[in-house]
Amino acid sequence: MEWFESWFDTPYYHLLYNNRDYTEAENFITKLTADLQLPPNSKIIDLACGKGRHSVFLNKLGYNVLGLDLSRQSIEFDKQFENQTLVFDVHDMRNPINADPMDAVFNLFTSFGYFDHESDDRKVFHSVYNVLKPGGFFVLDYLNEEFVRKNIIPQSTINRGDIEFNITKKIEGRHIIKDIRFEDKGKSYHFFEKVKLHTLEAINSYAEECGFERIKIWGDYQLNTFDKENSPRCINLFKKK
C-alpha cells in the first residue's frame, strides 16, 4: 500500500486539515468557472475530490459533477450529497475514466505528484485527455516548486483538539517530504506525505505529449498572474486540442 492510500483513509488526515478555508476555495472555484466561461449544466470531473467540498459547490453553481477519489472512506462519506447531477465514485486517477465526454476536469489543491514513477504521472494526463471533449479544459492546481524551495518551514506543531501534530519538512532530491507524528489515546502514530517537485517544464511536457496546450498559468487562488519567484501556487490551465 502506498503512503497516500493509508494516510488519506485515516480520520487523522481529515482532522489535521480541517482548517482549510472553504470561503477561499469557493471564491476560487467561482472565479475559475467564470474565467473558463463554463455554461450551466457543463460536465465537470473533480479528480481527487476528497470529502467532496468542491464537488458539492460546483454542483450548487449549476454543473453536472462527477467526484472521483481513491479513498473509499471519503467516497462513502460523499455519497450522502449525491443527486441527479452529482455522483461520486472510487477511482485511481492513473486508470482510464469510464464516463461521458466531459467539458472540464479539475485536479485541485495539490492532488498530483504522489507517484514515484514518471509513467504514472503520464497515465494521469492520458486518462484526463481521453475523457475530455475536444476543446475541454484540464485545470491542474499545483504547488510552485521555486516558492516551496525558498519558503520551506522545517519544523512546526499543529494542535487539533487534544492531538498535537509534530511536523517536519525536508527536500530530498525531487521530492518534498512531510513527516507527521502524534499520539492519541496512548498510542504513537507516524505518517508521511511525499510530493514530487515538478517543474513547469516537466508538467508541460506531460501535457504536450497527450495533445494538450497550456493556455494560462495563475499564481494564486485569486487568479493573479503567475510569478515563478513569488507565487505560492502554479495553477495550470490546459486545453484539449
Side-chain angles (χ1 to χ4, degrees), residues 9 29 132 137 205:
D9 249 351
I29 289 171
L132 281 171
F137 295 111
S205 69

Side-chain angles (χ1 to χ4, degrees), residues 51-181:
K51 288 209 165 181
R53 60 182 179 139
H54 309 116
S55 299
V56 170
F57 185 68
L58 282 165
N59 187 239
K60 287 180 180 177
L61 291 178
Y63 298 111
N64 291 277
V65 182
L66 171 59
L68 301 175
D69 200 276
L70 185 65
S71 169
R72 291 188 177 276
Q73 289 192 17
S74 290
I75 294 299
E76 286 172 8
F77 174 85
D78 295 340
K79 288 286 186 181
Q80 66 183 299
F81 304 117
E82 286 189 333
N83 57 51
Q84 288 186 329
T85 56
L86 175 61
V87 178
F88 293 95
D89 202 2
V90 176
H91 181 77
D92 186 324
M93 67 171 69
R94 292 168 286 189
N95 296 333
I97 300 169
N98 183 20
D100 293 334
M102 292 283 163
D103 297 291
V105 175
F106 294 168
N107 184 246
L108 305 177
F109 297 89
T110 315
S111 299
F112 179 71
Y114 301 157
F115 312 120
D116 287 330
H117 303 292
E118 277 194 280
S119 60
D120 285 332
D121 295 328
R122 289 187 168 93
K123 286 176 183 176
V124 176
F125 276 84
H126 280 287
S127 69
V128 171
Y129 183 86
N130 289 334
V131 81
L132 281 171
K133 298 176 182 177
F137 295 111
F138 177 31
V139 177
L140 179 64
D141 168 25
Y142 204 60
L143 50 78
N144 176 10
E145 180 213 15
E146 294 274 344
F147 185 86
V148 168
R149 288 185 180 278
K150 290 196 315 183
N151 295 278
I152 188 171
I153 300 173
Q155 290 186 315
S156 62
T157 300
I158 297 175
N159 292 295
R160 295 281 182 265
D162 296 329
I163 299 178
E164 182 178 272
F165 292 92
N166 295 298
I167 297 170
T168 60
K169 293 181 183 178
K170 60 183 177 181
I171 293 174
E172 286 188 358
R174 298 295 307 163
H175 294 86
I176 180 166
I177 299 172
K178 179 190 291 187
D179 264 301
I180 303 158
R181 299 176 186 270

